[in-house]
Amino acid sequence: GDKWKYDLRKSAVSSVFSGAFYQAMAQRTYAAELAGLGWGVSVSETGFNIRAQGYHDKLSVFAETVLKCLAEDGGRSIVRDEDVERVKERKVRGLKSFWMERPDSHAAYFKNRVLHPELAGVDEFVDLVEAVTPDDVRSWLKESLFGVDDRFIECLYMGNVGEDAAHKVFGMVGDVLGRPSPGADAKPLPYIASQTRKLPSGAEYHIHTQSRNADEENGAVVMFFQSGLPAYTGVGDDADALKRTAAMRVLGGMIKEPLFNTLRTKQQLGYIVSGYAGSTMSVSSEPT
């Protein structure tokens, strides 16, 4: 339904939340980070991504501490007004300086504007971030993490750990977040691929832009070729889709060295040369 449609305003709020949560947790996790433990919280189209890693026998306790801080009081206690304002200022400053970055960053940006028109442009995102309030962040966190009836939890515990210890951690995650973790006999969750606009077959799009930096003497060229063959998106896809996606990834690895050697080393046409191939889930829609 509409609940899962991309929302520009909520995207800005979630980006501010990530930074504010790091700020609030800095002092609490300082000793653990000195001991070699690390953590992170990010938000994407698939939901909240919470990680804890490091070589230490207290890793599970550390992960539980991070989760409890996030879940405490519905997330309201961990979102402090001063952290939100500090993160907003830093984000706005970074966004406004984007047009002073290298031209290859700008070229990639405009390519992504064609493939992901639902995303906000840099200038629009500045206005969205500036409008975020601490109460916006608290309300969004409560709604997103605790206000969804059909949310699910997926856990991955890797390393030198036994099955019983892993299940204990899984149970802890479910208890803290108020949602039972899937058991050992649970079916695999569907793979949620990032969505890219499917361009019409045979169409060509050319974008030429002038740098906003009057002192910039360099330029950049990005060429993007979209395959019309369906890629592998997860459980239920046929074997041919998996083979095509695997072949595409191998091709991406194969083209890097020849591109660099020919365009930079031999012809010396540019300083930064790269190439890659990947796969995303395409959605049919006409570019605007």
Side-chain angles (χ1 to χ4, degrees), residues 23-220:
Q23 288 279 151
M25 292 291 292
Q27 186 172 355
R28 302 190 194 193
T29 60
Y30 179 72
E33 290 175 356
L34 288 179
L37 297 176
W39 69 282
V41 174
S42 60
V43 185
S44 69
E45 63 266 33
T46 62
F48 281 83
N49 303 295
I50 306 170
R51 61 176 174 79
Q53 79 279 339
Y55 180 71
H56 200 283
D57 60 349
K58 299 297 184 182
L59 178 60
S60 59
V61 176
F62 179 56
E64 184 176 4
T65 299
V66 173
L67 280 173
K68 284 184 174 180
C69 288
L70 179 64
E72 182 182 6
D73 193 25
R76 291 187 294 272
S77 300
I78 201 66
V79 179
R80 303 181 305 197
D81 291 10
E82 60 270 25
D83 292 331
V84 170
E85 295 304 323
R86 191 177 297 116
V87 169
K88 282 175 52 180
E89 181 182 354
R90 187 165 61 244
K91 282 188 171 294
V92 168
R93 188 167 57 247
L95 288 165
K96 289 183 176 180
S97 66
F98 171 75
W99 300 114
M100 297 295 108
E101 294 181 10
R102 296 183 333 210
D104 55 310
S105 298
H106 302 158
Y109 164 78
F110 284 110
K111 179 206 71 174
N112 289 331
R113 292 290 287 152
V114 173
L115 298 176
H116 302 279
E118 75 280 4
L119 302 180
V122 170
D123 298 325
E124 182 182 2
F125 207 67
V126 168
D127 296 334
L128 290 169
V129 170
E130 288 181 330
V132 173
T133 68
D135 285 339
D136 289 336
V137 178
R138 297 186 187 100
S139 299
W140 169 86
L141 181 60
K142 181 180 179 180
E143 175 190 358
S144 301
L145 196 58
F146 305 101
V148 182
D149 295 332
D150 57 347
R151 69 187 187 277
F152 58 80
I153 299 173
E154 186 175 38
C155 298
L156 173 63
Y157 195 173
M158 298 189 303
N160 187 18
V161 59
E163 182 176 348
D164 291 341
H167 281 294
K168 184 178 180 179
V169 170
F170 296 169
M172 174 273 294
V173 172
D175 291 341
V176 172
L177 297 181
R179 180 77 175 180
S181 298
D185 57 346
K187 296 181 180 179
L189 295 172
Y191 172 69
I192 304 177
S194 59
Q195 295 187 359
T196 297
R197 169 164 281 175
K198 184 177 182 180
L199 304 177
S201 178
E204 293 186 6
Y205 299 90
H206 302 264
I207 299 178
H208 304 270
T209 64
Q210 184 75 28
S211 175
R212 298 189 189 181
N213 182 1
D215 297 326
E216 181 61 69
E217 297 179 351
N218 298 302

